[in-house]
Each structure stands twice: as structure tokens, then as C-alpha cells.
Amino acid sequence: MGKDIYLTGITTTGTPHIGNYVGAIRPCIEASKNSANKNYYFLADLHALVKSGVDPDRINRSTLEISAAWLALGLDTDNAVFYRQSDVPEIPELTWILSSMTAKGLMNRAHAYKAAVAANEEGGNKDPDKGIMMSLFSYPILMAADIIMFKANKVPVGRDQKQHVEMARDIAQRFNHHYGDLLVLPEPVISDDTAVLAGLDGRKMSKSYNNTIPLFAPEKKLRKLIMKIKTNSLEPGEPKDIADSTLYDMYKAFATADEVKEIEKKYAEGIAWGEMKQVLFEYINEHVKPARDEYDRLIADPRIVEAELQKGAKRAREVSAPYLAKIRHAIGIRKLG
Ligand code: TRP
């Protein structure tokens, strides 16, 4: 048995927030230090084109912020390969090749596309495809190329992306059926034990709900946001339930088991919400401070980040270029004679 190959992409459409950190960034950074596996992490900037419409500065800024965050938090870029999707031209080429192995009907069934059509239909639009770009429609094929390009067999993703990984598997299978066993069949890895944090309003923390706490918000802003987290109206002194408490969940995502026990006691004793917010703020602030300083340094000097991405791209292409050459050969795109 060879090493497992893990691969995951981060779409560059926003600023990393506490929910991203706890749910994805932290586990990936931990995994990056484990040399028993091969890990690929990349900034999916070509995917970002689908979501951010026409806003060049937003993609660029987000690429910087996400890369700087991962590096500041201690990603091991000698072990894991950390790169930007658009620096690997083999990926879009493979996307085109895989498009010829992908039934249109399969793409018709993709959740994201179906949701966009449903929204048009509910909005009473005559054209169900109104405003839908081809990039949204073929999004899963680009994602399949991301995965297949590096022979990843394990793809850690959120539930919403599971279908895409299954589609990648279908596409790879069809390719292999026609051209021989060249592609690795990936499987999604969904971890149910990583925390899903709620945001300011109690719904899942997500940039689409506009309820996030940026991981590296300056201290003042961090405090202000934490003070805004929704609670119930229980008074100081009234015992409080840890279930359904965003403050508790957030604290738990950062603190040690003993510290969590202490807080549980305080909840039972009726800690005031204002005090709990202060405790949470101080805890998170202390926890992120060293990384935040490093993050600020990197944001101020993007050349350091760019150099890391170039290093990653070089390593990535050492794998993708020869593999794509094999794939090209297999499908008959070859030199003559
Ligand atoms: N589509 C993923 C998301 O929105 C990001 C992504 C792009 C990805 N390519 C990938 C994830 C390949 C895993 C593997 O979250």
C-alpha cells in the first residue's frame, strides 16, 4: 500500500473566518505536519471566477489573505504541497479532456446548478438558465481535474461538496473504461467530528450569511464582533444551558477540556452573557495573537507569500506535467511518427 494522497481546495472568494479555521484550516495544518500522507492544498482561484462575478481585486486579495493565513498558522510547506490552481496549466487542460468523458446529464444533476435553476423558476423567470454561466455548470469538471491531476484518493470536503467528489469518481471511471486504468478513483472524506461553528446570528458561520468573525480581525474589531454574538435573554445569575449557546461552542473550539469544564460550571452558576463574551474574546485573542502578527507581516509583504506559492507550483508541476503527458498519449494527443 502506498501513501494516501489527500487533496483539498479553498475557493478564493473571502477572508478566512473562525468557522473556516476550526472546520478546515486547523485540521489541514495539523495534517500537513504528518509525513505519513501526501497532502496537496491549493487556492482554487479559477473556481473563484464562478462565484465572485467580475471583481478582479476581490480574487486577488482573497488569494493573498487565505495564503497568508495558512502560512501564518504554521502550514508545513516542505511536507504539504501548497499552490495556486491557476499556476498549474495542466489543470485546465485536463478539465477539457475530462469534459469529453462527462455526460451533460451528470452535470444537470449537480446541486449548485440545480439550485440556481430552482431559484430562477421560483422567481418566475421564463428562462430557467437565466444568468447562469457555463463555469457554474461545468464547475464539477474543473474540480474533478483538480483531484485527478494529483492522483488524490482522499478528498476532505464539507457535506456540500460530497457530490462533486463522487462526480469526479464517475468521470475517472469512465475515462479508465475507455482508455485503460490511468486515473485514480477519489473518495470524499467527510469528518463529522470537526466543529461547525455558528456565526453572529446563530446560523452557520458563512460568508454567504454575512455573519462571520474574521480569524485575524484586529483586536478591537474582534472584541466588537464577539460582543455582537446572539444570546438568549437570561439575566446574570440565572443558570444557562450550554446547548444552543454559540459562545459556549466557540469557547469549546479553542479551549482545553479542563477549561471547558470550568466554563460549564460557570454556565450552571449563571455567568452573565457580557462576562462570557469578555472571557471568549480574551481567550481567542490570546490564541490567535502570534499568528495574527505573522499574518499582518505577510499581508504587508506579499512577495513572501508569492514566493511560497511559486515553490508550491513548481512541486505541483513536477507531478502534473509528466502525468498529463501520459494522459495525452493515452487519448491520442501525440507527436506524429
Ligand atoms: N469546490 C470546493 C469548495 O467550494 C473547493 C474546491 C475546488 C475543491 N477544487 C477542489 C475541494 C478539489 C476539494 C478538491 O469548497
Side-chain angles (χ1 to χ4, degrees):
M1 252 312 271
K3 285 186 181 188
D4 277 327
I5 301 180
Y6 284 81
L7 175 142
T8 200
I10 315 106
T11 309
T12 54
T13 43
T15 293
H17 57 68
I18 288 183
N20 298 140
Y21 172 65
V22 168
I25 307 175
R26 188 170 59 187
C28 284
I29 288 183
E30 274 319 302
S32 80
K33 297 172 183 158
N34 174 0
S35 51
N37 299 321
K38 182 96 196 149
N39 290 295
Y40 291 91
Y41 302 121
F42 69 95
L43 298 137
D45 56 346
L46 297 174
H47 274 107
L49 286 173
V50 178
K51 293 187 184 166
S52 30
V54 188
D55 190 347
D57 292 336
R58 186 165 161 208
I59 293 187
N60 196 252
R61 178 74 194 174
S62 173
T63 303
L64 172 62
E65 290 181 351
I66 296 173
S67 321
W70 285 59
L71 294 170
L73 288 160
L75 182 73
D76 182 343
T77 60
D78 292 324
N79 190 30
V81 186
F82 186 56
Y83 58 100
R84 175 169 48 202
Q85 186 182 33
S86 61
D87 284 334
V88 183
E90 290 78 17
I91 295 170
E93 185 174 338
L94 181 59
T95 303
W96 180 253
I97 293 171
L98 295 179
S99 294
S100 302
M101 288 287 114
T102 307
K104 177 174 175 290
L106 184 68
M107 294 300 98
N108 286 342
R109 290 193 288 279
H111 297 318
Y113 171 66
K114 271 179 36 186
V117 169
N120 276 335
E121 281 167 348
E122 278 157 30
N125 268 307
K126 269 203 234 87
D127 177 6
D129 280 321
K130 185 163 191 281
I132 298 176
M133 295 294 130
M134 278 308 294
S135 58
L136 173 72
F137 188 66
S138 42
Y139 184 107
I141 313 177
L142 177 57
M143 186 159 156
D146 289 332
I147 297 168
I148 290 167
M149 189 80 267
F150 295 98
K151 304 180 190 170
N153 60 332
K154 307 267 184 194
V155 185
V157 282
R159 276 201 182 282
D160 61 323
Q161 298 291 321
K162 182 167 174 263
Q163 187 196 33
H164 292 151
V165 182
E166 287 163 354
M167 287 175 159
R169 190 181 175 90
D170 287 352
I171 296 168
Q173 219 150 15
R174 181 166 185 156
F175 181 102
N176 285 351
H177 178 73
H178 288 284
Y179 296 115
D181 255 350
L182 200 53
L183 308 185
V184 172
L185 307 186
E187 60 178 273
V189 179
I190 316 270
S191 80
D192 283 319
D193 52 308
T194 51
V196 176
L197 282 189
L200 300 175
D201 57 359
R203 289 186 293 174
K204 178 185 171 207
M205 191 182 289
S206 158
K207 58 195 166 203
S208 38
Y209 293 147
N210 210 3
N211 63 354
T212 65
I213 300 178
L215 178 59
F216 294 129
E219 194 166 312
K220 260 201 184 142
K221 172 98 189 278
L222 179 65
R223 183 163 195 286
K224 202 169 132 197
L225 288 172
I226 288 177
M227 293 301 149
K228 273 198 195 158
I229 294 172
K230 204 174 133 205
T231 62
N232 60 28
S233 54
L234 290 174
E235 299 287 335
E238 290 186 78
K240 295 172 175 68
D241 198 349
I242 55 168
D244 269 347
S245 168
T246 302
L247 294 173
Y248 172 81
D249 292 340
M250 257 182 214
Y251 188 80
K252 193 171 172 209
F254 285 89
T256 65
D258 284 348
E259 290 162 336
V260 172
K261 268 208 193 106
E262 273 306 300
I263 281 296
E264 286 175 1
K265 236 171 72 200
K266 295 214 166 143
Y267 263 65
E269 290 162 9
I271 187 173
W273 288 131
E275 188 187 338
M276 181 57 201
K277 287 179 176 179
Q278 183 63 27
V279 168
L280 180 65
F281 159 68
E282 279 167 16
Y283 201 97
I284 294 184
N285 191 47
E286 274 308 304
H287 185 91
V288 300
K289 206 184 233 162
R292 186 172 56 208
D293 291 345
E294 174 64 2
Y295 175 80
D296 291 341
R297 185 181 81 91
L298 293 173
I299 294 288
D301 194 354
R303 284 169 311 175
I304 304 174
V305 180
E306 184 59 37
E308 280 287 353
L309 293 179
Q310 290 310 318
K311 173 178 106 177
K314 188 164 172 284
R315 291 176 67 203
R317 294 196 69 196
E318 279 163 13
V319 176
S320 62
Y323 191 34
L324 183 67
K326 272 195 192 149
I327 294 171
R328 277 174 153 233
H329 191 269
I331 62 177
I333 306 282
R334 303 173 192 151
K335 293 274 181 290
L336 303 178

